[in-house]
């Protein structure tokens, strides 16, 4: 029997995309360590929420070193002669001041001055940037770049990332032969290699502690992981999940989209969008730079007190005020808590809360949170005094010391 | 020079009281005989590269209300919980007390399914006792003899809590406060190793054995602390226990307080039944109408107060108050992580408290030796290697072992606590550890050996009793230290006590210091919120 001589298309069947959570570049290693079998969904990736015990993972952040997989972050490469102009149009900070080899924490807004997202801008060269953030931004970036000489690429899947955070993190990298890592300043970027894999290392993180973020091609990811884990034996390295990180980020004063605020692009109810002023991020808005997205509206907004404000509060006693409402003189509802934590390092009961003006701005007395406690099935309502405080709750000189100490 | 208040002794209780004085705006001075603060909560470097927690070594009892009110984290204190612990027996098996509840249950079942259930009942019973006692810690004990209105309301407070327990629980509580830890544990467990592991907390620091009445309470005393709300959890202070008192000293100085170290108190100056100040050993004199002693009650009133100033019944009470040192301590610098033949590789429980024991009878035999004036031939040890968690106390890859030893007598039946006997004592301990960790001995780089006599001489704890006096029922609550004087005041006007000799007793807790400060401030007419609401 002869094969048919026709040249009709022989379809190669395209496999259907997988459903469920996708394994990331470090998945094999994470799965082996995830004794609690506790995963969460981060941009479709399987991200550990806790591997062993939240408590011990958390303490490793503040005492030794921790490893957290940040590969699921959205990452965009922005390059070309107009790259600086495009990024400067996007974010509210003056990115012209950001030197090559440096990172800046930024927010960006829509035309109404409402916050779209926050993230970090890495400047690798005069015409080369990378944006790291939580939410997909490709079309938003392309809209802004329209007419500019620039290329924008979604490189989310091309770069694996690890956050190495904690007091011994610098010593650990030094043990691995990263010469000069100790002179990398906060928000600096350097090029190194580990186990023959080229890495970009930035002194950045989400913990408010000494720490680094390591960026590499996914092919080298496991080799880097194994080398870090081996060196980490002497430095108390521990792999952590999201829950521990979340505790550290609350202490460190970082806000989380979808928890503390919503992106203007995702809200259904217009009044749910927020301005930089309401978030207390005035310092990120450079009104003195030329046109950028939202500038005109922000100029206007900057002149009047915000109608509400996200503030850091400290609460009496020790029960975290999850999802609590805030009252003035125990009677009038004036706001709500978004993130709450008993801080094991500060030994304070802390939270972020949205407060309607003038509370949290000019009226800071007689504020109470309503905490619901379940004690052996029975619910108890507790009114606890609270008062606005400065962010962050946790700071430590080791975060910024250059060179960093051994621990 | 004149001060509003002088505190004698920069132990953690003296520091706590002093912080509250300074915060109330009083011009406050601390005098300390050593050239460092801390008393029994101290970190010292005796060999380059290593820091020891020379006396106390783990933290749980320190009241969270005090940590917060004195802003100790801001002044550098960080308490890190540790993971479980284990006991190894002579047959090569172990029982691991794992902090993960499900894992603990599996481990209990491995030994006895009955004990797994027993553990739940035990945990609940102890937790009930904790709930009863915890609110009493930061309160002044009522004086049932004086019965001033406040005493009556405090007594009612206790009775009401007591009553809330229900009839059966009341009986249980009375039993609990007076029974032996061995009898108590026999109600819940059958596995000797499991009982031995838990019984340790009932005898640490006391001149009692696991079969002596009163040891169940001592267990509670070690259980009623917490780390971040986890009752009964223990942790390390990062940098050793001295970081607690360092943070307190910084907090004190930040409120304007002054510390003088290097010369101890010679005597209290008393005139017309009132305290007027202090004279130091170097002759320096300082005036104050409020003086608070953080030393133990015997030192305060027998060694440094003119007996003529004190009523005879009080002096009798002080002399009768029992110390009975029973503990020694070894601090050892190790060249690497020792291995344990009985433990699986990389066992997480090695990061906790380790013991080498078969059963409670072994502890009782160790106690018998002590009664005869000898250190235990097979001592109970509480052995930890904090450097597996704390990177600050030894170079990377090197380790520090803290070894608390029960029992060691204050006075030896044969001979003195001289270098030879100290070495022999250490040798007894090291050879016991060596049976479970063969490479332990050869890893030793440096060691510090402390007998009860050394603890008395160097730290000032009479007879080396770690709690500034035994924690037996006759010396607790309104009987601590002397009936009628349990409210931090003394027969001498203006002279107060704030050390662990007072309610609620020893351990690095801070409650005696804070309670004393409250009473002093009340007498001085200060009506301030100390910020201690729980
Ligand atoms: C070996 C050991 C291990 C222990 N382990 C633990 C543990 O792990 N966890 C725990 O919670 N507790 C532990 N304890 C108990 C705890 O450390 C003590 O109960 C507590 O620290 C006592 O504190 P204090 O402030 O009441 O008294 P101290 O700490 O005794 O303070 C008294 C102070 O007064 C000073 N002083 C004495 N005489 C004079 C003088 N004449 N003039 C001036 N100053 C003077 C002393 O130098 C000292 O600084 C341990 C104790 C010891 C000894």
């Amino acid at each position: 029997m002869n094969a048919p001589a026709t040249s009709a298309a022989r379809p190669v069947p395209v496999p259907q995309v997988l459903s469920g959570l996708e394994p990331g570049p470090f998945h094999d290693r994470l799965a082996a360590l995830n004794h609690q079998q506790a995963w969460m969904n981060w941009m479709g990736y399987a991200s550990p929420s806790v591997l062993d015990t939240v408590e011990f993972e958390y303490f490793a952040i503040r005492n030794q070193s921790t490893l957290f997989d940040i590969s699921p972050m959205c990452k965009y490469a922005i390059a070309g002669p107009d790259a600086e102009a495009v990024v400067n149009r996007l974010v509210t900070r003056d990115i012209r001041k950001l030197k090559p080899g440096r990172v800046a924490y930024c927010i960006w807004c829509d035309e109404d001055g409402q916050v779209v997202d926050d993230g970090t801008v890495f400047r690798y060269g005069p015409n080369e940037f990378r944006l790291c953030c939580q939410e997909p931004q490709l079309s938003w970036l392309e809209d802004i770049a329209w007419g500019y000489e620039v290329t924008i690429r979604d490189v989310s899947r091309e770069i694996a990332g690890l956050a190495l955070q904690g007091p011994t993190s610098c010593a650990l990298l030094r043990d691995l032969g990263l010469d000069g890592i100790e002179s990398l300043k906060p928000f600096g970027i350097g090029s190194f290699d580990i186990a023959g894999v080229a890495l970009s290392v930035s002194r950045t993180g989400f913990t408010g502690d000494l720490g680094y973020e390591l960026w590499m091609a996914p092919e080298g990811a496991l080799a880097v992981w194994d080398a870090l884990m081996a060196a980490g034996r002497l430095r108390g390295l521990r792999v952590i999940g999201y829950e521990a990180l979340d505790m550290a980020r609350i202490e460190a004063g970082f806000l989380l989209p979808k928890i503390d605020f919503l992106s203007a692009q995702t809200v259904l109810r217009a009044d749910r969008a927020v301005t930089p002023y309401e978030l207390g991020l005035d310092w990120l808005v450079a009104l003195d730079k030329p046109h950028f997205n939202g500038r005109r509206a922000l100029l206007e907004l900057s002149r009047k007190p915000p109608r509400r404000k996200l503030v850091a509060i400290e609460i009496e006693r020790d029960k975290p005020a999850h999802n609590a409402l805030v009252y003035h003189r125990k009677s009038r509802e004036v706001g709500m808590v978004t993130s709450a934590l008993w801080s094991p390092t500060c030994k304070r009961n802390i939270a972020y809360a949205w407060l309607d003006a003038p509370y949290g701005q000019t009226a800071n007395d007689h504020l109470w949170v309503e905490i619901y406690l379940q004690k052996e099935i029975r619910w108890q309502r507790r009114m606890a005094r609270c008062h606005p405080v400065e962010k962050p709750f946790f700071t430590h000189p080791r975060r910024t010391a250059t060179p960093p100490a051994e621990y | 020079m004149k001060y509003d208040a002088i505190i004698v002794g920069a132990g953690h209780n003296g520091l706590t009281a002093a912080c509250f004085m300074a915060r109330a705006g009083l011009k406050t001075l601390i005098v300390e005989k050593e050239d460092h603060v801390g008393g029994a909560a101290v970190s010292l470097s005796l060999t380059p590269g290593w820091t020891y927690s020379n006396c106390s070594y783990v933290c749980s009892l320190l009241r969270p209300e005090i940590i917060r009110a004195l802003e100790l984290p801001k002044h550098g204190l960080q308490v890190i919980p540790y993971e479980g612990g284990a006991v190894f027996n002579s047959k090569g098996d172990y029982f691991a007390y794992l902090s993960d509840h499900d894992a603990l249950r599996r481990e209990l079942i491995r030994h006895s399914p009955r004990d797994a259930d027993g553990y739940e009942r035990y945990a609940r019973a102890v937790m009930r006792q904790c709930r009863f006692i915890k609110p009493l810690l930061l309160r002044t004990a009522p004086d049932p003899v004086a019965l001033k209105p406040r005493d009556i309301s405090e007594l009612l407070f206790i009775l009401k809590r007591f009553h809330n327990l229900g009839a059966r629980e009341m009986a249980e509580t009375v039993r609990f406060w007076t029974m032996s830890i061995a009898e108590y544990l026999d109600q819940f467990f059958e596995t000797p190793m499991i009982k031995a592991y838990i019984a340790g907390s009932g005898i640490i620091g006391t001149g009692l054995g696991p079969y002596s009445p009163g040891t169940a309470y001592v267990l509670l005393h070690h259980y009623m602390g917490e780390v971040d709300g986890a009752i009964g959890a223990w942790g390390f202070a990062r940098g050793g226990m001295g970081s607690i008192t360092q943070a307190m000293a910084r907090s004190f100085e930040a409120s304007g307080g002054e510390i003088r170290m290097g010369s101890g108190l010679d005597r209290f100056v008393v005139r017309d039944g009132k305290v007027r100040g202090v004279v130091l050993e170097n002759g320096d004199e300082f005036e104050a109408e409020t003086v608070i002693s953080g030393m133990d009650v015997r030192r305060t009133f027998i060694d440094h107060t003119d007996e003529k100033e004190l009523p005879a019944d009080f002096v009798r009470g002080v002399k009768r108050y029992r110390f009975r040192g029973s503990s020694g301590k070894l601090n050892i610098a190790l060249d690497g992580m020792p291995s344990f033949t009985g433990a699986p590789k990389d066992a997480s429980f090695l990061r906790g408290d380790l013991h080498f024991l078969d059963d409670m009878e072994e502890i009782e035999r160790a106690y018998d030796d002590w009664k005869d004036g000898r250190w235990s031939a097979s001592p109970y040890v509480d052995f930890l290697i904090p450097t597996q968690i704390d990177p600050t106390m030894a170079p990377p890859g090197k380790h520090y072992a803290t070894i608390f030893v029960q029992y060691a007598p204050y006075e030896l039946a044969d001979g003195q606590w001289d270098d030879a006997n100290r070495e022999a004592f250490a040798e007894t301990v090291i050879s016991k550890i060596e049976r479970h960790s063969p490479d332990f001995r050869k890893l030793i780089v440096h060691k510090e050996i402390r007998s009860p006599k050394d603890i008395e001489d160097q730290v000032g704890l009479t007879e080396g009793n770690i709690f500034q006096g035994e924690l037996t029922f006759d010396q607790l609550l309104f009987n601590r230290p002397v009936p009628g004087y349990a409210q931090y005041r003394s027969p001498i006007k203006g002279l107060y006590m704030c050390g662990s000799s007072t309610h609620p007793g020893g351990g690095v807790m801070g409650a005696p210091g804070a309670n004393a400060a409250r009473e002093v401030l009340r007498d001085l007419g200060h009506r301030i919120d100390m910020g201690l609401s729980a």
Side-chain angles (χ1 to χ4, degrees), chain B residues 8-14 31-34 38-41 55-58 61 234 264-265 294-295 299 304 329 404 455 459 461 466-468 499-500 506-508:
Chain B
V8 179
H12 82 283
N13 278 315
V31 295
E32 164 59 49
K33 71 175 168 62
E34 299 297 311
C55 285
S56 60
Y57 48 102
V58 285
L61 304 174
W234 284 81
L265 174 88
M295 300 181 292
R299 271 184 189 252
H304 297 287
K329 178 90 196 282
F404 184 90
I455 293 172
V459 190
L461 289 164
I466 74 167
F467 301 123
Q468 287 198 353
S500 298
V508 181

Side-chain angles (χ1 to χ4, degrees), chain A residues 66-113:
Chain A
T66 55
L67 214 47
F68 181 71
D69 174 16
I70 51 171
S71 308
M73 298 264 289
C74 296
K75 302 167 223 92
Y76 301 95
I78 304 166
D82 288 337
E84 182 185 88
V86 167
V87 176
N88 215 27
R89 226 186 133 192
L90 170 75
V91 302
T92 59
R93 270 181 110 160
D94 192 344
I95 223 66
R96 294 172 304 181
K97 294 186 181 156
L98 183 68
K99 298 204 183 68
R102 304 280 304 157
V103 185
Y105 171 65
C106 295
I107 49 171
W108 46 101
C109 295
D110 65 12
E111 288 306 331
D112 300 328

Side-chain angles (χ1 to χ4, degrees), chain A residues 36 52 55-56 59 62-64 167-168 233-235 238 314-318 342 344-349 398 407, chain B residues 67-68 73 77-83 99-100 226-228 238 345-346 351 388-392 396-397 533-534:
Chain A
Q36 294 290 355
D52 272 309
E55 192 186 18
F56 298 126
F59 275 104
R62 295 276 180 248
N63 176 45
Q64 299 158 303
T168 63
R233 290 187 70 89
L234 281 189
R235 301 289 179 179
R238 182 157 199 156
E314 183 173 350
I315 301 158
E316 68 175 355
R317 309 184 62 176
D318 60 359
W342 167 258
T345 296
C346 309
K347 301 283 183 234
R348 290 154 71 194
N349 192 7
R398 68 182 171 234
Y407 42 75
Chain B
I67 298 181
R68 195 173 179 184
L77 173 64
Q78 199 183 339
V79 181
I80 301 155
Y82 65 77
E83 303 169 53
S99 53
D100 177 307
E226 61 184 276
V227 178
D228 297 313
R238 193 175 198 250
K345 202 169 144 25
D346 293 329
R351 295 196 279 268
Q388 296 170 94
I389 296 176
D390 186 341
T392 73
S533 58

Side-chain angles (χ1 to χ4, degrees), chain B residues 109 114-115 123 187 193 210 242 331 371 378 461 488 506:
Chain B
I109 289 171
R114 224 172 269 130
D115 283 358
Q187 304 176 104
M193 240 196 306
N331 294 303
K371 281 185 284 186
S378 181
L461 289 164
Y488 311 96

Side-chain angles (χ1 to χ4, degrees), chain A residues 307-324:
Chain A
R307 60 199 160 139
R308 62 182 169 212
K309 208 160 171 186
L310 187 70
V311 295
I313 57 173
E314 183 173 350
I315 301 158
E316 68 175 355
R317 309 184 62 176
D318 60 359
K319 295 291 180 282
H322 298 298
N323 308 315

